Amino acid sequence: MAQIVTAIYLLMMLVAGWRLFGIGWPRWVKVAAAVGLICPLPMLFILPSLLHPERPFADLLLNIGVVLTICGAICLAGGMSAAWMRKRRRT
């Protein structure tokens, strides 16, 4: 079940990057929206581990949250590059 949720999250980041960077907003708005899309799910892992570092598996939760943040950013960047390549191909 955890692998399915992770795969869905990463697929959603890929699609979000493709759609987000295909629209005509200013770049700073796109980056702010991208940060807002990436951060919520990994924060569910990072915040409890930072608030209670003495609990068991706190370091594991922190690592999972950091990896989800990095992988989400990579998938969003992949969607962004796909949108740019498609836009460049059309012109």
Side-chain angles (χ1 to χ4, degrees), residues 18-71:
W18 179 62
R19 284 305 305 150
L20 181 63
F21 286 89
I23 56 180
W25 290 350
R27 188 167 299 223
W28 68 273
V29 174
K30 292 179 187 179
V31 171
V35 169
L37 285 170
I38 293 171
C39 289
L41 185 66
M43 284 299 150
L44 293 174
F45 294 99
I46 293 173
L47 288 177
S49 66
L50 292 177
L51 292 175
H52 302 287
E54 71 281 353
R55 289 191 175 172
F57 302 114
D59 55 344
L60 183 64
L61 282 176
L62 181 64
N63 290 336
I64 290 171
V66 169
V67 167
L68 273 176
T69 304
I70 292 169
C71 290

Side-chain angles (χ1 to χ4, degrees), residues 14 17-23 27 30 76-91:
L14 185 67
W18 179 62
R19 284 305 305 150
L20 181 63
F21 286 89
I23 56 180
R27 188 167 299 223
K30 292 179 187 179
L76 198 102
M80 173 187 65
S81 67
W84 282 346
M85 289 176 65
R86 184 174 182 194
K87 185 177 179 182
R88 189 173 72 179
R89 211 177 7 182
R90 285 185 175 181
T91 58

